[in-house]
Amino acid sequence: MNLLLIKIGKAWSVLRRDGLWRGCRRVLVAFFGLFRLVAPGDVLFISNGVGDSARYRTTNVAEELRQQGFAVATTVQDNPFLSSYAKKFSIFVFHRVLYTSAVAKLIERIKKERKEIIFETDDLVYDPQFLQHMDYYTKMNAWEKKLYEHGVGGEILADPYVRIATTTTTYLADKLREKGKQVFVVRNKLSKADAKLADELLTTRPALSTSQDGSLIHLCYLSGTPSHNKDFATITPVLVTLLGKYPQLRLVLAGPLDVADSLHQYAAQIERLPFLSRREYFAKVA
């Protein structure tokens, strides 16, 4: 019940932040992700949601494995049929999965089948000693913090049955090796659809400059989650100095981000964009 209430709370936050149309679209994508068909295969990726972290760490990796001839599926941990998948795959990759009763049941069934479990992470959120330093964690409600008290998937990582881990960087790999795991670095990559979209935009984009004389200089900060306020604050003093010194500078801020009052005096030089669709995001980068 607590997990359901947390999901409802997150959906409400998305609607308030992104507006009714954009927010509903994102919430519906997440909802229907619960019931996505999972056909038997070699590898099953399990994520705690359908955001960009899951996109890069499960969906895109699954696509690459399929190109190598593997039968791969992806799902989310809230899938109501989750525990029934233990017999359908040989390898199970758990990406940023919260340790709920349903996840525990699946893991026990996997162990009985003597199949492989791989722990996957792209952040230090699995270790509770680091959570207190994360801005997003401080804004969680008490129920949500309860689920994170052992870290995101920390119980899975601590299980001696789990021998292998994958991650994004050598730094994280070294941290995971301290836990006694065999670690492989799997870099983030674009999907085939992303690459095709990028190619289309590169052939149709307008001139790079938005002014005829090319005098404007754009700095862009494109945030995908509401968890980077503290990170952005570290560069705010420098941005204030630059905006004051160079009137031709334009600061483009996209996605959920709170900015300091010190930037408000340069509102005329700042462009705020909402959370963008994939195509809109790529077009803005181009």
Side-chain angles (χ1 to χ4, degrees), residues 208-226:
L208 286 176
S209 174
T210 55
S211 64
Q212 290 184 350
D213 61 3
S215 62
L216 293 183
I217 299 171
H218 289 83
L219 293 178
C220 297
Y221 187 90
L222 310 175
S223 179
T225 68

Side-chain angles (χ1 to χ4, degrees), residues 12-173:
W12 175 243
S13 296
V14 169
L15 291 174
R16 286 195 306 169
R17 186 184 69 230
D18 297 347
L20 187 61
W21 171 244
R22 289 176 181 269
C24 279
R25 189 166 54 183
R26 294 189 68 198
V27 170
L28 287 174
V29 167
F31 176 76
F32 287 112
L34 301 180
F35 307 101
R36 186 183 296 119
L37 179 65
V38 178
D42 302 308
V43 184
L44 176 64
F45 285 88
I46 305 156
S47 177
N48 72 351
V50 294
D52 280 337
S53 183
R55 177 197 300 273
Y56 285 108
R57 304 309 299 164
T58 66
T59 305
N60 290 3
V61 180
E63 179 184 77
E64 183 175 14
L65 287 172
R66 291 189 194 102
Q67 293 178 43
Q68 302 302 322
F70 293 93
V72 187
T74 62
T75 191
V76 293
Q77 70 171 88
D78 298 320
N79 187 312
F81 311 108
L82 187 67
S83 62
S84 67
Y85 297 148
K87 292 181 179 292
K88 294 185 177 182
F89 298 87
S90 300
I91 300 172
F92 298 81
V93 183
F94 288 83
H95 166 71
R96 294 180 74 146
V97 170
L98 293 169
Y99 194 73
T100 61
S101 57
V103 169
K105 184 183 295 185
L106 172 62
I107 289 175
E108 286 306 307
R109 292 186 177 184
I110 294 171
K111 289 179 179 179
K112 288 180 180 178
E113 296 289 328
R114 302 182 66 82
K115 294 179 177 178
E116 194 75 56
I117 295 175
I118 296 177
F119 179 84
E120 209 296 316
T121 188
D122 55 355
D123 208 338
L124 282 170
V125 290
Y126 63 83
D127 195 328
Q129 71 170 309
F130 296 109
L131 284 175
Q132 60 183 313
H133 302 294
M134 296 181 179
D135 190 44
Y136 187 52
Y137 179 76
T138 63
K139 296 179 174 63
M140 290 180 181
N141 59 51
W143 284 334
E144 199 167 6
K145 285 184 178 180
K146 184 70 173 175
L147 284 170
Y148 282 71
E149 65 181 350
H150 299 294
V152 180
E155 298 92 338
I156 301 173
L157 182 62
D159 191 334
Y161 183 91
V162 180
R163 302 171 300 147
I164 298 173
T166 58
T167 191
T168 48
T169 67
T170 54
Y171 176 82
L172 286 171

Side-chain angles (χ1 to χ4, degrees), residues 148-207:
Y148 282 71
E149 65 181 350
H150 299 294
V152 180
E155 298 92 338
I156 301 173
L157 182 62
D159 191 334
Y161 183 91
V162 180
R163 302 171 300 147
I164 298 173
T166 58
T167 191
T168 48
T169 67
T170 54
Y171 176 82
L172 286 171
D174 289 340
K175 287 293 184 182
L176 288 167
R177 291 188 184 103
E178 292 175 4
K179 304 291 185 180
K181 308 301 179 182
Q182 182 180 9
V183 185
F184 297 90
V185 174
V186 179
R187 303 291 185 187
N188 283 344
K189 54 185 66 64
L190 296 178
S191 66
K192 292 170 66 175
D194 286 339
K196 180 180 179 182
L197 174 57
D199 285 339
E200 291 175 0
L201 289 168
L202 286 172
T203 58
T204 60
R205 68 180 178 178

